[in-house]
Amino acid sequence: MSGSTEVRVRVRVPAKVNVQLAVGAARADGFHDLANVFLAVGLYDEITVTPSDTLRITCEGPDVSQVPLDGTNLAARAAVALAERHGIDPRVHLHIAKDIPVAGGMAGGSADGAGALLACDTLWKLDSSQAELLDICAELGSDVPFSLLGGAALGVGRGEQLTPIDVGGGFHWVFAIADGGLSTPSVFREFDRLAEGTAVPTPVADPALLAALRTGDAVALASALTNDLQPAALSLRPSLADTLAAGTTAGALASLVSGSGPTTAFLTKDAETAQQVAEALLASGTCRTARVAPAPAPGATVVERSAR
Ligand code: C5P
């Protein structure tokens, strides 16, 4: 409808798991060079944007008390960054329906940043190219570009320079969600502390892992999963070892900490096993809740737009 005014746009954005997270030594700017293989998984946040007198944020979901509702929220920062580029006022209400664990190592905050960016771009009819949006995403945070893109990708630099990876089949995951979050900077600091006095190798993507994604081979992927932040997350939260063991005992092909944690991730051979592993994890009492999720999942997607 030409000349119509968008009044409401809703965007769905996936969580991620890092199937390989190779971490290099700390750089002069405090970040770490990574070889970061992202896989988007089917747990989603939804961002709804509507016009408003001022920029404001509301949130619903189980972890709502931990979500900042001020200008520090990545969704607010995304709206401000996009508006600044186009010389407009970011006068919107951003509502976040939050299903991705907060501070869980699954890029939930990054998802909200990418989602708000696409939602505002659509509401304001800016029609930005994907390259322009990815550029703003990279300013917002290392994981935000991948939240926009979805699927699977190798991220280098601090994780924001992406090369998409074709995935040859679906994977079945279970995520055990812990009580309370872990701060990403403190997990990287613990990584640095544990690495003190050792030569940290340059991070490189594992060809066997990339091949497993390309062929959709769950068994090969399971044997290639690695996360260099796992020892740091376990050092800060030793009880995660019990969750990892419970999932493996219940029949997962492999288990690992998701990103900086404390969510733990379990790859299974099929959907039925994923359900069984989720039930066993819940019964083990080693996590707050357990969720099954397929992968790969699409990136940020407009699922509703209303105009008048
Ligand atoms: O980029 P983002 O704001 O998500 O990063 C959060 C924090 O995680 C950084 O301030 C830094 O402490 C750590 N980080 C890092 N190296 C990366 C990505 C993140 O040290 N490649």
Side-chain angles (χ1 to χ4, degrees):
M1 260 196 309
S2 90
S4 66
T5 308
E6 305 285 349
V7 290
R8 178 184 159 94
V9 177
R10 186 158 54 95
V11 169
R12 198 175 77 150
V13 200
K16 60 83 183 164
V17 62
N18 307 86
V19 287
Q20 182 186 1
L21 184 43
V23 182
R27 311 191 312 203
D29 65 2
F31 284 90
H32 296 71
D33 275 323
L34 306 177
N36 191 351
V37 184
F38 294 100
L39 181 64
V41 301
L43 290 181
Y44 300 94
D45 281 0
E46 285 193 349
I47 322 302
T48 303
V49 62
T50 48
S52 172
D53 290 343
T54 53
L55 175 60
R56 67 189 187 97
I57 300 197
T58 53
C59 184
E60 67 180 85
D63 293 339
V64 62
S65 63
Q66 300 168 55
V67 177
L69 299 178
D70 58 16
T72 64
N73 189 301
L74 276 175
R77 290 180 48 209
V80 169
L82 184 67
E84 268 174 7
R85 285 208 179 193
H86 293 271
I88 52 181
D89 269 341
R91 290 189 295 160
V92 286
H93 170 204
L94 295 159
H95 181 72
I96 304 170
K98 190 147 239 342
D99 199 32
I100 304 174
V102 176
M106 297 192 77
S110 300
D112 300 344
L117 192 64
L118 180 60
C120 289
D121 194 73
T122 308
L123 184 81
W124 297 333
K125 295 187 184 301
L126 299 175
D127 216 14
S128 301
S129 66
Q130 189 182 63
E132 286 169 320
L133 294 181
L134 285 172
D135 203 38
I136 300 174
C137 286
E139 284 172 17
L140 295 171
S142 308
D143 289 349
V144 185
F146 179 72
S147 297
L148 188 76
L149 213 57
L154 168 64
V156 298
R158 60 188 169 87
E160 87 289 11
Q161 298 162 30
L162 297 177
T163 306
I165 300 168
D166 284 330
V167 180
F171 296 102
H172 301 275
W173 290 87
V174 182
F175 295 94
I177 293 150
D179 262 326
L182 272 177
S183 117
T184 304
S186 56
V187 176
F188 273 103
R189 271 198 302 276
E190 183 67 0
F191 172 89
D192 291 338
R193 196 185 67 79
L194 295 174
E196 240 166 48
T198 67
V200 179
T202 303
V204 279
D206 173 6
L209 178 120
L210 298 177
L213 283 175
R214 290 198 179 102
T215 54
D217 183 336
V219 173
L221 182 62
S223 62
L225 295 172
T226 54
N227 178 2
D228 286 355
L229 291 181
Q230 181 160 316
L234 285 171
S235 168
L236 296 175
R237 194 72 71 80
S239 62
L240 293 180
D242 298 334
T243 323
L244 292 171
T248 309
T249 306
L253 294 169
S255 59
L256 87 169
V257 170
S258 178
S260 55
T263 305
T264 41
F266 305 86
L267 181 59
T268 64
K269 69 176 194 300
D270 54 30
E272 194 187 341
T273 313
Q275 202 57 53
Q276 287 162 7
V277 169
E279 281 162 23
L281 279 164
L282 206 51
S284 74
T286 62
C287 58
R288 187 180 80 196
T289 182
R291 304 279 303 275
V292 300
T301 307
V302 175
V303 290
E304 183 198 335
R305 53 194 296 175
S306 317
R308 70 168 143 70

